[in-house]
Amino acid sequence: TLFRSQVYGQLLALYLLYNDMNNARYLWKRIPPAIRTANAELGSIWSVGQRIWQKDFPGVYAAISAHPWTENIQLIMEALRDATRQRAFGLVSQAYTSISADDFAAFVGLPVEDAVKGVLEQGWQADSATRMVMPKKPESAPVTLIPNEQQLARLTDYVAFLEN
């Protein structure tokens, strides 16, 4: 059962890394209770997943740091922490015009000085007097317009397919 619990742990951690919360949740429900209780690391991985599910970014970093991971899980958890941090940077850049440096640092799981250094590297602005961070809006991809005739032809094909 040690091998099975390691495989379950790696698969659960990888689902979390790829932000596939539905499969992670269903895997957790499918893991036999005896294996869940016998392997404390599985419970710790799932506690990270619960924080992700709740969108508790500071809690994700705390849950990852709180457990001494085995070698086969350690690299996945480090990658998960980095991916969560990148996701947090992206969400802040889309949702905020300014955010306090302290709130931002908690959101990305870094000390305030490192968080401010990170935003400056990203081309954002930081005001040390007000302790505010001003994210740079992400550049949206240009929308390619489809000519009306092509759009009408596609729509006709879809309708014809659905009718048959």
Side-chain angles (χ1 to χ4, degrees):
T1 62
L2 176 63
F3 176 74
R4 284 179 60 192
S5 67
Q6 286 179 342
V7 170
Y8 281 132
Q10 286 178 323
L11 185 58
L12 185 59
L14 286 169
Y15 279 146
L16 298 180
L17 174 61
Y18 290 106
N19 204 27
D20 188 352
M21 295 308 298
N22 286 329
N23 279 326
R25 211 177 52 174
Y26 294 134
L27 175 64
W28 178 251
K29 288 180 179 182
R30 283 193 319 263
I31 296 173
I35 292 177
R36 270 194 256 166
T37 55
N39 187 344
E41 188 171 57
L42 270 175
S44 297
I45 294 169
W46 183 239
S47 75
V48 172
Q50 289 172 318
R51 302 303 176 282
I52 293 171
W53 186 267
Q54 297 163 350
K55 295 176 181 43
D56 174 12
F57 285 85
V60 171
Y61 307 120
I64 290 173
S65 299
H67 188 80
W69 304 105
T70 57
E71 186 179 332
N72 60 343
I73 300 293
Q74 177 68 36
L75 292 174
I76 299 171
M77 285 297 159
E78 289 172 3
L80 175 60
R81 183 190 58 229
D82 295 341
T84 303
R85 187 168 290 139
Q86 287 302 98
R87 202 173 302 132
F89 264 91
L91 289 172
V92 167
S93 71
Q94 291 175 0
Y96 288 88
T97 56
S98 66
I99 182 173
S100 79
D102 295 323
D103 290 344
F104 179 73
F107 203 56
V108 296
L110 290 170
V112 176
E113 298 79 28
D114 293 343
V116 170
K117 192 183 308 179
V119 300
L120 295 175
E121 290 171 1
Q122 298 261 347
W124 297 6
Q125 296 176 351
D127 186 350
S128 57
T130 60
R131 295 185 53 84
M132 296 296 283
V133 171
M134 283 69 74
K136 180 179 168 185
K137 291 291 178 196
E139 296 183 19
S140 58
V143 178
T144 57
L145 297 176
I146 302 171
N148 286 337
E149 295 80 21
Q150 276 185 320
Q151 197 170 11
L152 185 59
R154 280 187 186 172
L155 186 59
T156 304
D157 290 341
Y158 288 142
V159 170
F161 175 76
L162 291 174
E163 288 179 349
N164 291 331

